[in-house]
Amino acid sequence: MSEPPTVRVENQLIRFVPPEPVELDVAVSKLGAIRQDDYAVHTLVTPRATIIVDKEGRIVIHGTNRMEVARHAAKEFLLQLGRSDDGLKAELGGIIASFKFANQLNMPRLIKKLGKDVEKDERLDCVKVNDTRHNIMLYVWGNGKVIVENATHANLVAMAAVYWQERLIEEKIMIESESDSEAD
């Protein structure tokens, strides 16, 4: 049995709900946030994060996967608006994670074996795997790199990585040598 892939959390959606909604126009006029339809976007330098205020006045933090950094970013944003962070409630959303298999993958075989659960993404030059077992989407490249979206926890991604590694080995989709890559 080979080593399980190491999972890395790339980003986690963290949303904060202030007791009084943030007004989009105030974020634009006071901080120079950029208004885009029903959203305002503001970039913080310290801590490094992108703040998105939605039409309901909630604050979404992008660019971090650590709650304490996201909380600090939301607090800094509110302070710049002249507001307190008292009563701020946090909501965790999905994570984006990545891992890499030790071997390359035979992509035509992957598509053939997984059939209806995969879709070729020409734009990204990868295969999207709808993992209904773990309720996540995997973007898989031939070099073994995998990006996962819609996961609820890093441990879920780790379980999925082990599951898929075992399945790819079983289905002879992992390329262990040059001769295996041509096998069908």
Side-chain angles (χ1 to χ4, degrees), residues 57-140:
R58 301 174 299 189
I59 303 165
V60 178
I61 310 295
H62 282 278
T64 183
N65 58 9
R66 293 180 39 218
M67 175 57 95
E68 57 274 7
V69 175
R71 173 83 182 174
H72 182 71
K75 180 178 182 173
E76 180 65 26
F77 178 73
L78 288 171
L79 287 174
Q80 288 179 7
L81 289 173
R83 295 180 49 177
S84 168
D85 67 329
D86 290 341
L88 194 62
K89 294 181 180 155
E91 298 175 348
L92 290 178
I95 65 171
I96 296 178
S98 66
F99 60 88
K100 189 170 189 320
F101 295 119
N103 298 57
Q104 292 189 359
L105 306 177
N106 181 328
M107 298 305 278
R109 186 172 179 86
L110 174 83
I111 293 167
K112 181 179 177 183
K113 288 289 187 178
L114 299 183
K116 65 177 176 50
D117 292 328
V118 301
E119 174 187 335
K120 180 90 168 114
D121 187 321
E122 299 292 338
R123 186 177 62 89
L124 296 175
D125 192 28
C126 70
V127 171
K128 294 192 319 190
V129 178
N130 182 16
D131 181 349
T132 55
R133 178 187 185 116
H134 301 98
N135 200 26
I136 57 177
M137 181 66 72
L138 297 104
Y139 294 79
V140 182

Side-chain angles (χ1 to χ4, degrees), residues 18-65:
E20 290 183 35
V22 174
E23 293 179 36
L24 298 177
D25 293 334
V26 173
V28 170
S29 65
K30 278 193 167 185
L31 303 180
I34 298 169
R35 178 98 186 233
Q36 181 68 37
D37 299 323
D38 291 335
Y39 300 92
V41 180
H42 180 69
T43 303
L44 285 178
V45 176
T46 307
R48 200 180 108 225
T50 301
I51 311 292
I52 299 174
V53 180
D54 67 16
K55 63 183 176 186
E56 296 171 26
R58 301 174 299 189
I59 303 165
V60 178
I61 310 295
H62 282 278
T64 183
N65 58 9

Side-chain angles (χ1 to χ4, degrees), residues 116-180:
K116 65 177 176 50
D117 292 328
V118 301
E119 174 187 335
K120 180 90 168 114
D121 187 321
E122 299 292 338
R123 186 177 62 89
L124 296 175
D125 192 28
C126 70
V127 171
K128 294 192 319 190
V129 178
N130 182 16
D131 181 349
T132 55
R133 178 187 185 116
H134 301 98
N135 200 26
I136 57 177
M137 181 66 72
L138 297 104
Y139 294 79
V140 182
W141 282 266
N143 66 359
K145 177 76 174 179
V146 179
I147 302 288
V148 178
E149 71 176 8
N150 298 334
T152 54
H153 197 279
N155 290 343
L156 176 75
V157 178
M159 289 188 315
V162 169
Y163 168 80
W164 282 105
Q165 177 174 278
E166 290 172 1
R167 183 159 177 202
L168 296 176
I169 290 169
E170 180 182 299
E171 298 281 356
K172 299 186 184 341
I173 294 169
M174 275 202 189
I175 301 171
E176 294 189 25
S177 69
E178 287 299 313
S179 61
D180 289 343

